[in-house]
Amino acid sequence: MVELTIDGIPTRVPEGTTVVEAARDLGIVIPTLCHHPGLSPYGACRVCLVEVAKGKRSSLEASCTLPAAEGQVIFTNSARVKATRKVIIELLLASCPSSKTLQDLAANFGVNRVRFQIKDKNCILCGLCVRYCKEQMQSGGIGFVGRGTGRQVATAFSVTPEECRNCGGCEWICPVCERACTADRLVNGLCGGCQNVFPVETCPVCVNCSQSVGAAGHKVYY
Amino acid sequence: MGALRRVDKNCACVESIIQSNGGGKDSLISILQDVQAEYHYLPEKALRRVAKNLGLPLVQVYGVATFFKAFSLKPRGKHLVHVCLGTACHVRRAPAVLAEVERHLGVAKGETTPNFEFTLETVNCLGTCALGPIVMVDEKYYGQMNVGKVKKMLAGYKKFSRPKRDEKIKVSA
Ligand code: SF4
Ligand code: SF4
Ligand code: FES
Ligand code: FES
């Protein structure tokens, strides 16, 4: 067992637990995209980043690949985390504005503009589909092809591979394919359809357990 | 199908290449290098065979083959001509050298001559800037190139023939 502190709450978790899991056990929600409990950690999207205090300094790390360690002090919602996370969401949106999952994230974290040039690739290279196919279906029909800006998820020689079991899992798990944003018109990469402009009502001791606690914060109901 | 005449139909030599590399999944890259040395490119059949023999999903082999610029999935010529267009070579008129090579081979950069003797490519520095402008043919460096030296350089390679003036060049992919 290792002991660590997350957002001021001390906790004990078995060795090998990742920080995101430890936080979820406490009811602290860290947004994730490329993380999936049934798949190996990958650390591609960086949405889950947290601040790790190290003496007088601190560093930003992806909590889904960060193993919990003795004496670790983690902040999941510090000003630095919030600001950086916004930039990351903007970057992801710039490469894939058509994902509802991303638009929801943007709404929840108060991203109301995208400062980067939009180049819609319909994929954020999160690798969920590739890992699902390989690890859950033992198939390996799809994979990453090419590199750099040309990197994409594809099949070999663009033909349906014989290994494919037609399970449809790759589409199901994709944050873009089945969860496409259906807003008629995207303004500068944002749909704005589900922007949370009002504070959400929560219980008195709010630990942000609800993803819907957005940028406008929350007010307490009694 | 000029390129295919060199490929034995089922890429049978793949087996021996895999054996000579130890037959392990971790030697995938060196296997692909050897296959490429044999055929000058990576034929689809060979990749399928490699994947099958190593017990890897085809897409994994394909992913590696498309990741590295040194690998080509398109048939390439026997000799690889690299014209350096890096900064140091550029200011010493490498573009003129490239134009001359293109004129002599009758193909543009990135293309292969119809007789599959030469493939012309450009690079962004060969690490020998002091000798620039530089052209590399296979493993051999030709330093301080100029337009006048191109013909002689290419003539050193067998089967080099300048395309006739109005012969239409068609490069099959
Ligand atoms: S549908 Fe085919 S490619 Fe997609 S996850 Fe299933 S086996 Fe893999
Ligand atoms: S296709 Fe979907 S699941 Fe696969 S890498 Fe792209 S965004 Fe992720
Ligand atoms: S969820 Fe941690 S990097 Fe994507
Ligand atoms: S720029 Fe040509 S060798 Fe460096």
Side-chain angles (χ1 to χ4, degrees), chain A residues 96 122-130 142 144 153 170 173-177:
Chain A
C96 186
N122 246 318
C123 173
I124 53 168
L125 300 176
C126 67
L128 279 173
C129 54
V130 174
I142 49 176
F144 286 111
V153 174
C170 46
I173 206 164
C174 175
V176 188
C177 292

Side-chain angles (χ1 to χ4, degrees), chain B:
Chain B
M1 292 305 282
L4 289 184
R5 91 198 131 163
R6 272 201 302 275
V7 180
D8 48 312
K9 262 221 181 86
N10 296 311
C11 296
C13 74
V14 165
E15 247 92 309
S16 58
I17 289 176
I18 293 174
Q19 286 314 319
S20 64
N21 277 291
K25 289 180 188 175
D26 45 359
S27 41
L28 175 60
I29 291 179
S30 40
I31 291 171
L32 292 186
Q33 275 174 329
D34 289 353
V35 172
Q36 171 138 317
E38 182 76 27
Y39 301 114
H40 307 296
Y41 80 109
L42 297 174
E44 178 175 340
K45 272 197 182 130
L47 290 188
R48 286 186 187 277
R49 254 195 133 113
V50 169
K52 205 168 190 180
N53 274 350
L54 295 182
L56 287 170
L58 177 62
V59 72
Q60 201 165 329
V61 177
Y62 185 77
V64 171
T66 52
F67 184 86
F68 294 103
K69 220 182 152 196
F71 292 134
S72 169
L73 293 175
K74 276 203 240 157
R76 287 210 279 198
K78 226 188 237 166
H79 304 293
L80 210 48
V81 183
H82 280 122
V83 179
C84 180
L85 286 184
T87 318
C89 294
H90 185 94
V91 297
R92 294 187 190 163
R93 310 180 130 230
V97 175
L98 175 65
E100 184 69 4
V101 177
E102 284 181 338
R103 197 171 72 84
H104 274 278
L105 295 180
V107 293
K109 66 174 179 184
E111 294 180 349
T112 303
T113 57
N115 60 2
F116 288 95
E117 283 298 317
F118 294 96
T119 293
L120 177 58
E121 272 176 10
T122 58
V123 288
N124 290 330
C125 188
L126 287 165
T128 47
C129 306
L131 294 178
I134 201 152
V135 178
M136 189 176 157
V137 184
D138 297 335
E139 309 277 279
K140 200 161 180 257
Y141 290 82
Y142 293 87
Q144 283 158 355
M145 282 301 291
N146 55 35
V147 172
K149 288 188 187 168
V150 168
K151 189 174 174 190
K152 205 173 150 215
M153 174 191 80
L154 290 174
Y157 294 88
K158 220 171 64 188
K159 286 206 190 158
F160 166 71
S161 67
R162 220 175 126 184
K164 286 187 204 90
R165 182 161 286 177
D166 45 17
E167 187 185 334
K168 202 145 190 281
I169 311 283
K170 264 202 357 230
V171 182
S172 60

Side-chain angles (χ1 to χ4, degrees), chain A residues 132-133 137 139 141-142 163-170:
Chain A
Y132 184 89
C133 188
M137 298 316 295
S139 155
I142 49 176
E163 295 100 330
C164 177
R165 302 170 167 195
N166 282 321
C167 67
C170 46

Side-chain angles (χ1 to χ4, degrees), chain A:
Chain A
M1 296 295 260
V2 288
E3 227 177 300
L4 71 161
T5 314
I6 304 177
D7 286 351
I9 310 170
T11 178
R12 279 158 67 85
V13 290
E15 226 161 293
T17 316
T18 57
V19 169
V20 75
E21 285 161 349
R24 283 196 176 161
D25 286 350
L26 288 176
I28 298 171
V29 176
I30 300 175
T32 56
L33 259 181
C34 68
H35 170 80
H36 195 282
L39 303 174
S40 59
Y42 193 58
C45 71
R46 315 314 275 187
V47 168
C48 67
L49 86 178
V50 293
E51 191 168 358
V52 186
K54 288 176 184 153
K56 280 187 185 165
R57 297 165 173 233
S58 71
S59 64
L60 292 174
E61 288 181 44
S63 61
C64 67
T65 50
L66 181 68
E70 189 63 40
Q72 233 170 14
V73 181
I74 308 273
F75 298 97
T76 69
N77 225 356
S78 65
R80 193 170 161 209
V81 166
K82 280 192 212 160
T84 316
R85 189 176 283 149
K86 268 178 141 177
V87 177
I88 290 171
I89 295 172
E90 280 180 57
L91 280 166
L92 290 169
L93 270 176
S95 65
C96 186
S98 48
S99 158
K100 172 145 172 57
T101 313
L102 273 178
Q103 295 289 354
D104 286 352
L105 267 180
N108 279 339
F109 291 93
V111 174
N112 39 31
R113 58 180 177 155
V114 177
R115 285 165 290 181
F116 306 100
Q117 198 192 344
I118 312 272
K119 287 185 191 153
D120 193 353
K121 297 225 174 99
N122 246 318
C123 173
I124 53 168
L125 300 176
C126 67
L128 279 173
C129 54
V130 174
R131 277 175 292 151
Y132 184 89
C133 188
K134 196 169 163 198
E135 295 168 16
Q136 291 292 335
M137 298 316 295
Q138 271 81 43
S139 155
I142 49 176
F144 286 111
V145 166
R147 72 154 155 193
T149 50
R151 194 164 191 244
Q152 51 173 307
V153 174
T155 58
F157 300 105
S158 307
V159 291
T160 309
E162 33 190 89
E163 295 100 330
C164 177
R165 302 170 167 195
N166 282 321
C167 67
C170 46
E171 282 191 9
W172 167 78
I173 206 164
C174 175
V176 188
C177 292
E178 283 195 7
R179 280 172 276 276
C181 178
T182 50
D184 283 350
R185 187 178 305 135
L186 297 176
V187 180
N188 192 15
L190 285 169
C191 77
C194 20
Q195 193 81 274
N196 289 354
V197 283
F198 299 109
V200 176
E201 284 194 340
T202 63
C203 39
V205 272
C206 179
V207 288
N208 284 339
C209 67
S210 161
Q211 292 268 9
S212 57
V213 175
H218 60 100
K219 67 178 184 205
V220 167
Y221 70 84
Y222 293 99

